[in-house]
Amino acid sequence: MTCISHKTLTRFIVSTFVLLLTPHIARAQFPEIHSYHVDPGAHERDRNIDVTHMKVEVSFDVLKKTVYGKVTHTFKQLQTPVDTVFFDAPGINITKATLDGQPVDYHITPTGVVVHPILLLDMVYMPYLRKKAAEETQKKKPNKGIVPSVGIAPSHQIVFEYTAQPKKGIYFSGFTSSNGSPLTAPRVAEEMIREQIWTQGQGIDNRHWIPMIDDRGDKYITETVVTHNSKHQVLSNGALKSKKVNKDGTTTWHYAMDKPHAGYLLMLAIGEYTVKNSISELGTPMQFWYYPQHPERLEPTSRYSEAIIDFLSEETGIPYPWGSYSQVMVQDFLYGAMENTSATTFGDFFWVDKKGFQDRNYVTVNAHEATHQWFGDLITGRHDGEQWLQESFATFYPGLFLGSVYGDDELNWYFREQIKGAIAAGKANSLPVRHSEAGSSRHYPKGASVLHMLRHVMGDDPFNRAINHYLLKHQYETVETWDLQKAIIDETGMNMDWFFDQWIHRGGEPIYAVNWSYVADSTSKKPVTVTLEITQKQVQDAVVGLFKMPIWIEFLYANGKSEWRQIMVDQAHHTFHFNTRMIPVTVVFDAGSQVLKTLEMQKSPSEWLWQMQHGSSMLDRYDALVALRGNTEIKDYKTELEQAWNRENFREMRAEIASQWLGLAGAPGQDANDVMLKQFVNSTHASVRKVLFEKLPLQPAFRDLFLQGLKDSSYNNIEFVVDRLWNSAPLRMDATSVGISRAEILQLIQSEHGHLNNLKIKYVECVYQYTLSRPYNSAENDAQVYINILKDMAGPYYEFRTRINAMSALKRLGYLDVQLTHNLFDAFLNFNSRLAGPAGELLKYFAQNSANKSLILQQIPLYQTPEQNASVIAQNRLYKLLQ
């Protein structure tokens, strides 16, 4: 039997009493970890050293796509003895390794390099251990001699010199081309692919060109020293410490960080650039690196950059943490953009002019990557299972920024789109947001939607204070979800563990079935009793449970007024009774559409119409409008739509109104001067004008409206109108069904390039068809000129989206020859999967025809990749594709 002292027993009783009094605080500070799904990515690798500094010095042979490098790792021991240290370095050839200036044994493996430093590290580390032991002894025997100074674990340096020809991590663009046929059209310099070197380290790709401990859990300060051709500019992380011009025509750039960050965030971007320097209103120095051609694209592309940084600084309460902030565009980028610390890289497909801005712009992506400077760079998820702590926040804050610029309707629409993405992912499986394999639909839109709900439930001020506390406490460190949960209760006293459990640690989304009814006594003055029946219908299992959420209900009355009530829904079935001052025309469940959900609620057309007319939230009015599609019960619905157009300003509301109005029987008739048609075609929203050009009958009465479409301020709308008109009559006929000739169409668009050459490619495709349709003998030879242009634009001289557009045009024309085959080979073997995928699909499409397949197979042995030693591998990939 174990004896317990009175003092120990008393301490135990007091501790238990405190815990019983504060159960929520105790659970929040020491939360239980629920493993609803096994997550193989939710772990960290063992580390026996702690890297504190990494200095990378590189130069390149661009034709051979080779890196010549030297990397110096400064580190401290975490264990003793250390008999081996492993550095990630797949495919890298280590030519020399030293430890603290002395040669050290190492051996190369398929995944990296193993260093054997045991004897030397023991000899230098043991004195430190002896000092610590002496200090501890002295503490126990005070005043028995001189206390030795406390030792600090000594730092060491491992230096690797190496060469690498990486297939990942660093990319060489424009320095070589495939061995295809020469260009047959004049080259226009700004349209050609550019000479560039750029890196992409996330998730674990920097290890392919730097021997390093490539693990997000280890953060360290980095330096980069780059020696390269002086005709190019070089950007890397941190501040430019020096720039030295060398006698051999090269320049050496030296960049350095002053705070630690994860190794995957180290970056390089090298090429021909002009730099716009600016300072945000709150004082953040900023640089925007852009191509010197087309300076008119600078403002639309970089729009709001300074405002975004200031917005995030104010919203989080944390000033921009990395000194200066740069952004640089690169060609053939693998993704939309990448949040490298202090220097975001983004794809030059966002390099837009004023017209292109309304079709696709950089604003949301710009805000996403800027948010990562706080969420992902300043604080970093400890492992892949915590990816949502980066991507969800970086998807959440752009919605708030859009709201600050364009208003609440834009904010609410943004999160409605995120919810749609989350619901779609939920139909595939029930993986939670906090899971390494949850996928982009949960790490991005669902996580952002959850944060939007969390802010709604907590309130703006408590949410912002909690986030500020979370960032301050963990800046320059790694974090887990529990850190965020604890920051919330530490700062606000609000225990949100229940919220995190159902929305972050569990999967699934609620499905609410809702019905409402009322009881009223017309002879008495008693209030009306409204009854709401709510059922949660989602399938429940070990991962998906019942959801607990506060829900706002809006009662809409016949006098145009409304009343809001809040309820807590947390059971499989609820029956709520409300006393209201009069009979509602309809009831809106989750008014304002704040909750990520699927809603099943039947209403009559008259109820939906009243909600469309009087709902407080634009989203509620939009949902009602959509519910009325195809309705035949409402008298004079056309007039109702016209009145809705005059009430509503948001683009998606107006696009839906235009779509339904144009789809009604008898509208627009033959009257091209109809007031509504004029409002549609003159709308400031490209989406509204697109609906008009899509729904408008192809009749001569509307010739002028379609001519206006051919001169629209949206490149995408122009392309759409060209397609619709061009295909509205047999090819041999010049006049279209609208009365606009094909010659007129070509004349109107012949000088337009569009965005990423979409209109130039459309013009060339159409003029090829038009030339072939002419009744003279040389038409085929004349038409070949345009085929040659398309083949060239599908080749390696152009950026990847232009190539994809040109490939699509050639597919529609059914054209294949040797040059195009080689261009498709080059595209299929490209490092960029967004180019390789469509090229592979097109090769398989052409190969369905036996003659085309024979041509393709004959060319495979003749095709040589830019790197000759890779030809056999490339040929095998092509043969496998066509099996």
Side-chain angles (χ1 to χ4, degrees), residues 594-612:
Q594 298 289 343
V595 179
L596 196 169
K597 67 186 184 302
T598 297
L599 176 62
E600 299 174 1
M601 189 172 185
Q602 300 299 318
K603 296 186 181 183
S604 67
S606 60
E607 284 186 75
W608 285 125
L609 180 62
W610 195 260
Q611 182 173 321
M612 182 191 80

Side-chain angles (χ1 to χ4, degrees), residues 304 311 363-364 396-416 452 455 594 617-619 621 649-652 685:
Y304 302 127
F311 172 82
V363 174
T364 303
F396 165 71
Y397 277 104
L400 302 189
F401 177 75
L402 290 176
S404 74
V405 175
Y406 299 110
D408 287 343
D409 285 352
E410 194 69 51
L411 180 153
N412 291 328
W413 184 261
Y414 175 88
F415 285 107
R416 166 59 65 85
H452 183 51
R455 185 172 182 254
Q594 298 289 343
S617 163
M618 179 275 294
L619 290 179
R621 298 194 301 275
N649 293 311
F650 186 64
R651 54 186 170 83
E652 296 300 331
H685 304 302

Side-chain angles (χ1 to χ4, degrees), residues 375-392:
F375 299 90
D377 298 3
L378 180 63
I379 55 105
T380 307
R382 292 186 71 94
H383 50 71
D384 289 347
E386 302 292 359
Q387 187 71 8
W388 85 276
L389 290 173
Q390 302 176 186
E391 299 301 345
S392 298

Side-chain angles (χ1 to χ4, degrees), residues 180-206:
S181 303
L183 287 174
T184 53
R187 295 183 62 175
V188 181
E190 65 262 29
E191 295 174 353
M192 297 297 108
I193 194 165
R194 302 168 187 276
E195 293 183 346
Q196 292 180 349
I197 305 171
W198 49 265
T199 63
Q200 171 56 30
Q202 194 178 38
I204 51 173
D205 284 356
N206 273 342

Side-chain angles (χ1 to χ4, degrees), residues 653-764:
M653 282 290 289
R654 286 199 153 191
E656 179 65 24
I657 292 167
S659 178
Q660 291 193 31
W661 191 91
L662 289 162
L664 289 175
Q670 300 291 320
D671 186 4
N673 293 315
D674 189 287
V675 173
M676 293 301 292
L677 289 182
K678 288 186 175 181
Q679 293 196 60
F680 295 160
V681 79
N682 292 320
S683 171
T684 57
H685 304 302
S687 57
V688 173
R689 301 194 303 274
K690 168 74 177 298
V691 166
L692 174 67
F693 303 136
E694 180 181 8
K695 299 276 188 177
L696 200 63
L698 291 169
Q699 299 171 358
F702 303 118
R703 168 186 161 88
D704 288 343
L705 292 178
F706 280 107
L707 280 173
Q708 199 164 335
L710 289 170
K711 296 177 284 188
D712 196 80
S713 61
S714 158
Y715 291 131
N716 288 349
N717 281 356
I718 294 174
E719 184 179 11
F720 179 85
V721 174
V722 170
D723 274 334
R724 189 160 185 232
L725 295 180
W726 195 266
N727 298 321
S728 68
L731 191 58
R732 292 283 176 180
M733 295 178 59
D734 186 37
T736 66
S737 59
V738 179
I740 301 174
S741 71
R742 286 195 169 96
E744 281 183 278
I745 294 172
L746 293 174
Q747 183 180 12
L748 284 170
I749 68 170
Q750 66 179 341
S751 61
E752 294 276 15
H753 279 259
H755 182 51
L756 301 172
N757 295 300
N758 70 319
L759 290 182
K760 179 178 180 180
I761 290 169
K762 180 56 61 179
Y763 171 80
V764 173

Side-chain angles (χ1 to χ4, degrees), residues 69-220:
K70 175 183 176 182
V71 59
T72 302
H73 295 285
T74 303
F75 64 93
K76 297 176 181 178
Q77 283 182 250
L78 296 177
Q79 303 170 14
T80 186
V82 174
D83 55 351
T84 60
V85 182
F86 176 77
F87 291 87
D88 301 290
I92 295 179
N93 179 35
I94 306 296
T95 57
K96 183 179 179 181
T98 62
L99 172 62
D100 293 338
Q102 299 299 317
V104 65
D105 290 338
Y106 67 92
H107 73 274
I108 297 173
T109 74
T111 57
V113 55
V114 180
V115 179
H116 304 275
I118 178 169
L119 294 178
L120 183 58
L121 287 188
D122 270 348
M123 285 169 23
V124 296
Y125 195 56
M126 286 308 294
Y128 163 73
L129 293 179
R130 286 195 292 270
K131 273 187 177 182
K132 291 293 288 180
E135 178 196 2
E136 292 301 320
T137 300
Q138 194 65 33
K139 285 180 180 178
K140 296 176 183 178
K141 299 178 180 179
N143 303 320
K144 297 292 183 179
I146 299 174
V147 179
S149 61
V150 177
I152 299 176
S155 293
H156 306 282
Q157 287 189 338
I158 286 181
V159 180
F160 296 113
E161 296 180 21
Y162 64 95
T163 61
Q165 289 185 311
K167 303 302 180 187
K168 294 181 179 180
I170 190 166
Y171 301 91
F172 298 82
S173 176
F175 296 103
T176 61
S177 63
S178 71
N179 205 22
S181 303
L183 287 174
T184 53
R187 295 183 62 175
V188 181
E190 65 262 29
E191 295 174 353
M192 297 297 108
I193 194 165
R194 302 168 187 276
E195 293 183 346
Q196 292 180 349
I197 305 171
W198 49 265
T199 63
Q200 171 56 30
Q202 194 178 38
I204 51 173
D205 284 356
N206 273 342
R207 65 180 64 185
H208 292 273
W209 66 282
I210 308 170
M212 61 188 295
I213 294 182
D214 192 8
D215 182 80
R216 61 195 297 164
D218 194 9
K219 304 181 82 166
Y220 37 81

Side-chain angles (χ1 to χ4, degrees), residues 862-882:
L862 303 177
Y863 176 76
Q864 297 292 315
T865 64
E867 303 85 6
Q868 298 300 317
N869 60 358
S871 293
V872 174
I873 297 174
Q875 290 173 15
N876 288 338
R877 287 184 60 198
L878 289 166
Y879 282 123
K880 184 177 180 181
L881 173 74
L882 298 170

Side-chain angles (χ1 to χ4, degrees), residues 802-848:
T802 293
R803 296 180 71 176
I804 292 171
N805 286 339
M807 290 175 196
S808 297
L810 289 161
K811 177 183 178 180
R812 289 190 293 269
L813 296 174
Y815 186 91
L816 181 71
D817 66 6
V818 171
Q819 181 190 350
L820 178 58
T821 300
H822 282 241
N823 285 345
L824 292 177
F825 289 169
D826 175 88
F828 173 68
L829 298 169
N830 192 275
F831 61 79
N832 190 336
S833 62
R834 292 193 290 177
L835 172 61
E841 291 301 314
L842 187 52
L843 282 168
K844 289 193 289 186
Y845 170 82
F846 280 128
Q848 294 177 79

